[in-house]
Amino acid sequence: MTNTQKYSYHTHNNSLGIFDGQSSAEEMISKAEDLGFEEIGVSNHLCVHPHIPNRAHKMFLNDPVKALDIYKKMYDELEEVASRHKIKVYKGFEVDFFPSKTWRNWFEKIIKELNYDYLIGASHFIRSPDEKFMCNIYHLKDLPLGTTKEVIDEYLLGYWDSIYQAVASGYFDFMAHIDYCSVSGLCMSPEWDDIKWKLVETISAHKQPFEINTGGLDKIGRPFPEWKICDELIKRNIPVVISCDSHHVSQIGRHFDEVEKYLAEKGCKHRFKISK
Ligand SMILES: [Zn+2]
Ligand SMILES: [Zn+2]
């Protein structure tokens, strides 16, 4: 397909040996150029919170000063790599949002010091309402033994609350994989439908652009969010961007043709693009 989206703003790399990509910034940018992309956005994770389980991954940080230092070094490296390439490279972040005042203060102080182009809102954590306990959706096996279904359901509500409040915050250019908890089979039963419906309404009310994340097609056979939610948001004229959420060069632009075809069938006219 010739008119397939030729950019992705949701990509990761292994900068500084800290972030969770498998390829380097140089490899990712070169590959995007080889694929004939018009531009590429780099959105390594911004995961900083006083109660983040910081032993679970190097990029989970609970010291805002250390975090800022890491993000500055990552951007320095990125600028250096970008300067050697023709393709337009945007500097972004995929931000793990938390509603508390403490998190907002930390986040606002950090981003004020960074020369970023765009921000993607996300949540990868289930959590208690007070944010004192949180667990990455990929690390659910680390939940304390004997955690009851009631408690897990409360933590899942924390996930959805983070997504709602991220949309309402106005911080973000677009939202990542809004039903990401489905990657682990969570919140798939009909009892969660009301919450998803409310989210569709919240996104619509805020005219918050969202992504169709093609990583889901590889992981669970459908994108994030599920097609039904995509349909509802497209019907409401919410701007959409296709994201590959690449952590490896082989994933850049994955399934874009397939999603482009779907968007054409739905008559989608509202697309998100960074205009600078
Ligand atoms: Zn993500
Ligand atoms: Zn991502």
Side-chain angles (χ1 to χ4, degrees):
M1 194 179 286
T2 50
N3 59 349
T4 296
Q5 184 184 299
K6 283 282 183 213
Y7 51 89
S8 179
Y9 302 131
H10 192 158
T11 73
H12 301 271
N13 60 48
N14 64 7
S15 186
L16 314 174
I18 289 174
F19 296 95
D20 68 343
Q22 294 152 271
S23 306
S24 66
E26 170 65 37
E27 289 166 333
M28 296 293 283
I29 290 166
S30 299
K31 179 70 185 213
E33 220 165 43
D34 292 348
L35 290 170
F37 270 37
E38 298 156 7
E39 48 194 32
I40 178 96
V42 178
S43 58
N44 282 324
H45 294 275
L46 189 155
C47 299
V48 54
H49 189 285
H51 299 293
I52 206 158
N54 73 326
R55 281 185 301 274
H57 200 288
K58 277 187 216 166
M59 67 183 181
F60 295 171
L61 302 162
N62 55 15
D63 175 348
V65 177
K66 188 178 163 199
L68 178 59
D69 184 54
I70 288 169
Y71 301 148
K72 277 187 172 162
K73 286 191 175 114
M74 187 262 290
Y75 271 8
D76 286 347
E77 181 194 86
L78 187 54
E79 280 171 12
E80 190 278 317
V81 174
S83 72
R84 289 186 277 104
H85 289 270
K86 283 205 182 76
I87 189 172
K88 173 74 196 166
V89 178
Y90 290 109
K91 299 195 297 288
F93 277 108
E94 180 181 10
V95 177
D96 260 287
F97 177 90
F98 296 93
S100 64
K101 251 202 170 102
T102 307
W103 182 83
R104 287 171 192 255
N105 284 339
W106 281 21
F107 170 67
E108 287 180 9
K109 277 191 188 132
I110 289 169
I111 55 162
K112 216 172 63 192
E113 302 294 324
L114 293 164
N115 181 25
Y116 65 91
D117 296 305
Y118 69 101
L119 298 171
I120 311 176
S123 177
H124 303 87
F125 292 85
I126 64 171
R127 62 166 174 83
S128 60
D130 62 5
E131 301 178 17
K132 286 194 172 140
F133 176 84
M134 60 185 71
C135 179
N136 188 279
I137 288 167
Y138 263 122
H139 300 148
L140 295 178
K141 58 174 184 356
D142 297 341
L143 281 174
L145 269 179
T147 308
T148 62
K149 183 185 178 299
E150 285 69 30
V151 171
I152 293 176
D153 281 356
E154 185 186 53
Y155 293 166
L156 287 168
L157 284 174
Y159 168 83
W160 292 105
D161 182 56
S162 292
I163 299 288
Y164 288 129
Q165 296 211 44
V167 171
S169 74
Y171 285 141
F172 303 111
D173 293 277
F174 66 91
M175 286 298 296
H177 46 56
I178 51 178
D179 65 351
Y180 183 67
C181 54
S182 59
V183 72
S184 297
L186 299 168
C187 305
M188 307 290 256
S189 60
E191 60 186 290
W192 296 95
D193 284 356
D194 282 355
I195 283 188
K196 294 174 192 172
W197 188 256
K198 200 178 120 202
L199 179 58
V200 166
E201 296 305 336
T202 304
I203 290 173
S204 306
H206 290 272
K207 296 188 173 58
Q208 170 73 69
F210 76 107
E211 71 172 13
I212 298 184
N213 185 308
T214 60
L217 286 160
D218 284 345
K219 290 188 172 108
I220 56 167
R222 53 89 161 156
F224 307 119
E226 63 179 308
W227 295 116
K228 196 170 67 183
I229 296 177
C230 297
D231 288 357
E232 292 299 331
L233 292 171
I234 291 163
K235 249 193 259 168
R236 288 164 173 75
N237 295 324
I238 305 306
V240 56
V241 61
I242 311 175
S243 289
C244 50
D245 200 354
S246 300
H247 287 68
H248 185 269
V249 285
S250 63
Q251 297 169 338
I252 299 175
R254 56 179 157 178
H255 306 293
F256 275 23
D257 281 350
E258 185 182 337
V259 176
E260 198 66 65
K261 203 169 140 228
Y262 158 85
L263 291 174
E265 278 164 17
K266 296 287 164 189
C268 172
K269 293 204 170 47
H270 299 271
R271 301 292 287 267
F272 171 84
K273 191 168 191 196
I274 297 176
S275 22
K276 285 201 178 231

